[in-house]
Amino acid sequence: VKRPDKMLMIWSVIQNRHPDWELIFLGDGQDRKKVEDMAVSMKLLNVRFEGRVDPIPYYKDAAIICMTSDYEGFGLVLLEGMQFGAIPVAFNNWISLKDIVIDMVTGIIVPTNDIRQYVEKISMLMSDENMRMRFSYNAIDQAKKFEIEKISPKWIKLIEEFNENHRDLSPHLI
């Protein structure tokens, strides 16, 4: 589902355009060895696999956070990175993405599974420091909209409205 293989394909082009950048994979899973082997067989440069680690120091250092998932319920990792100014770049493969990322304002939304476009868009972002600074500040502001103090009242209101509108239903129907 996370499709790290897509990121490796993207990186195979990006590494030549931006040899001073580094791709870091965080997390673990049953396919980690397979993905690491793929990176070696593709002769990729500047790729690290950190495994299961505290992501906060990486978010703080990251300029960009890439997501190549086929789908997500909600891309929490993007918001976590955005809090620290990491700019999200993701395929438009899941519906809630546009609730998190405003294309070309707080990050970049790439057409569904269009690897060529992903390469072009991320390369553009990597090449333009002013754009990165602007998107980074915007990402931090966007992430603030999801803070618990702002989201909790909305959830409470939604639950209260639901309860108010469904008082007549018997408990076994709810």
Side-chain angles (χ1 to χ4, degrees), residues 9-113:
M9 288 186 278
I10 292 162
W11 190 254
S12 71
V13 177
I14 292 292
Q15 71 178 359
N16 299 322
R17 294 183 186 181
H18 303 279
D20 53 330
W21 283 71
E22 184 177 35
L23 175 64
I24 303 171
F25 284 89
L26 303 184
D28 221 345
Q30 63 187 16
D31 292 333
R32 179 177 172 184
K33 173 89 169 91
K34 180 176 147 185
V35 176
E36 288 179 2
D37 290 346
M38 184 183 296
V40 170
S41 71
M42 293 172 74
K43 297 180 171 73
L44 298 181
L45 306 172
N46 300 329
V47 178
R48 288 187 3 226
F49 294 87
E50 296 294 317
R52 188 177 306 269
V53 294
D54 176 4
I56 291 176
Y58 295 90
Y59 292 148
K60 288 179 179 178
D61 288 341
I64 300 169
I65 184 165
C66 298
M67 184 174 278
T68 53
S69 302
D70 281 338
Y71 62 87
E72 292 281 334
F74 187 80
L76 185 59
V77 68
L78 296 180
L79 276 174
E80 290 172 350
M82 290 168 71
Q83 291 177 45
F84 298 97
I87 303 159
V89 178
F91 286 122
N92 190 20
N93 288 356
W94 36 285
I95 198 158
S96 64
L97 176 62
K98 291 182 179 176
D99 292 329
I100 299 168
V101 179
I102 302 168
D103 190 33
M104 300 305 292
V105 176
T106 64
I108 296 176
I109 298 175
V110 180
T112 300
N113 298 323

Side-chain angles (χ1 to χ4, degrees), residues 2-4 10 23 69 80 100 113 128 133 151 154 159 166:
K2 300 295 184 189
R3 297 304 303 266
I10 292 162
L23 175 64
S69 302
E80 290 172 350
I100 299 168
N113 298 323
D128 189 335
M133 288 179 64
I151 293 294
K154 292 177 182 182
I159 292 166
H166 295 89

